[in-house]
Amino acid sequence: MTRLPGPPLWRQGLIGLRMRRDPLGELIELHRRHGPVFATGAGPLKFVWLIGPDAHRELFVGVDRFAWRDVTKPVVVVDGETALVVSDGEDHERRRRIVQPAFNIRRIDRHVPLMVEEARRTFARWVPDGEVNIYEDLRRCIRRIVIRALFGDRLSTRADELGDRLQPALDFVDRPLPQVKIDLPGTPWHRARAARRRTDELVFAEIDARRKSGVDADADDVLGWLLDASDPEGEGGQLSDQEVRDQVVSLIAAGYETTSAAVGWTIWAALANGGVWDRLREEVGDGPVDAERLRGLTYLDGVVSESLRLWPPGAVAGRKLLEPIDAAGYGIPAGAIALYSPFVTQRLPEVWPDPLSFRPERWDKNDPRYVEPVHLSYVPFGAGPRRCLGFAFALTEIKVLLAEAVRTVDLELLTTEEPRRQSIASMRPRGGVRVRVRGVREPAARATT
Ligand code: HEM
């Protein structure tokens, strides 16, 4: 194999230190120096980075050529052994075939009223002149939305309790690697294990209750679907209780921090860029949004797409190669861990005109400034057969929360400076997004649950 470009061995230590401090800033610098394909690290911590559409071309084709678990296994402690995100090969294909229909557009549309209700319930607590960390408040709201969408009304009164039970386990996975598993009272690992046990008690009790009372796959919630659905290509094979538990918990884990981060960045960008909030309000108009109306809101769509371009919460993702691939003319050998970065790719000047400007119009096909995005240059949810399962759910949720915000509250950023980035798997605004509530336009619905 020809040696891949990248920093020489003697600089790896320094690069490692910089990566710890500002991984995405360092990646941009490495790409500038070495081009679309480069390697960092050594031994088991050697990574091959593929940046830009040319380097991506083979990365998103064919599931059999890659294994995900080698990269995603740190989440097993929360998600469980059979979660989609850590499954490979036939197991993955079977589970994905069963779970995927729970996230088709028709079923997602049915969750829109509960998204609106939860948004209004959050804004109902805000008072004029109050100061709010909008990221933190909406994060809690998003956790309730995903839990209610998964479990339906039966558990809706316990959504916060379930979220609170799970949180220490999610926090453990979010800690920098390597994971330190010391099981003594007070350690993060001890708290994570206890959190998983307490979450599982609730989830298995619910699975049991549903099985006993008869499962309804047509119920709007995802759990009902998972308990009843069978593999369309298998011989009626259904998910076991353990598999159902793992999908449910991993869907909360995959969907909640990422979507919260996206909402945080989007609201910050909409407030920090003059005229965007007002234009959104004009487009959204009066009255709560519904699924049908949401589809017609092109400016809102542009704002969300542009926010996910500049601040994709899944800023880095990857897989292990089971066979060699070609990336922008370089042969990458089997066994390599290949990583891609939506964050770096989506800021490349060679594919994005004026890449660092927040320009929602670039997504509007009727706007003269529209430029068709280059294939595989926009990958906030990945692409191909392992594309994010919840992308449509996430997009709907972000749009509902933003639409309800512009409709009901007038906000002012306490600081317009761009927040610093925290984490790369769910890249979020460090410290959140602090705003002053200048006014509440429409008294939002009072909390009902
Ligand atoms: C803005 C929010 C979100 C972002 C940016 C995001 C991003 C991603 C990315 C980059 C991947 C990895 C793709 C790859 O391996 O190449 C992924 C996978 C996944 N996401 Fe999301 N995601 C979001 C929200 C959600 C939501 C709401 C759910 C579910 C409720 C979800 C469920 C999943 C699952 C299950 C996978 C693994 C799919 C598989 O391996 O077959 N995500 N997501």
Side-chain angles (χ1 to χ4, degrees), residues 60 68 84-85 92 96 103 146 251-252 254-256 258-259 262 308 312-314 317-319 340 342 379-383 385-391 393-394 397-398:
F60 294 114
W68 272 257
L84 269 183
V85 65
H92 174 267
R96 183 144 178 154
F103 288 88
V146 73
L251 289 168
I252 301 174
Y256 139 66
T258 44
T259 312
L308 287 170
R319 58 273 258 130
Y340 69 97
V379 286
F381 298 104
R386 296 259 327 213
R387 184 185 190 188
C388 172
L389 184 93
F391 82 96
F393 186 92
E397 197 174 358
I398 302 166

Side-chain angles (χ1 to χ4, degrees), residues 57-76:
R57 221 162 298 281
E58 293 201 5
L59 191 66
F60 294 114
V61 190
V63 272
D64 299 347
R65 312 167 81 187
F66 307 102
W68 272 257
R69 192 185 175 90
D70 292 81
V71 177
T72 55
K73 61 177 176 258
V75 306
V76 166

Side-chain angles (χ1 to χ4, degrees), residues 21 41 92 120 122 131 177-178 190 238 244 274 286 351 411 415:
R21 217 174 36 224
H92 174 267
R120 306 194 87 210
T122 302
E131 286 184 9
L177 295 172
H190 188 79
Q238 291 192 308
V244 171
D286 295 326
V351 276
L411 304 174
T415 158

Side-chain angles (χ1 to χ4, degrees), residues 110-160:
R110 295 198 215 150
H111 299 308
V112 169
L114 90 85
M115 295 175 182
V116 171
E117 186 193 318
E118 287 296 343
R120 306 194 87 210
R121 180 189 164 95
T122 302
F123 301 138
R125 286 195 291 269
W126 296 2
V127 289
D129 282 332
E131 286 184 9
V132 184
N133 188 331
I134 194 165
Y135 164 75
E136 288 297 345
D137 267 31
L138 287 176
R139 182 167 175 257
R140 212 171 166 75
C141 167
I142 287 164
R143 199 175 73 179
R144 287 182 57 83
I145 291 174
V146 73
I147 291 176
R148 287 186 62 188
L150 287 166
F151 292 99
D153 285 339
R154 274 174 47 97
L155 269 196
S156 69
T157 49
R158 300 183 74 183
D160 284 331

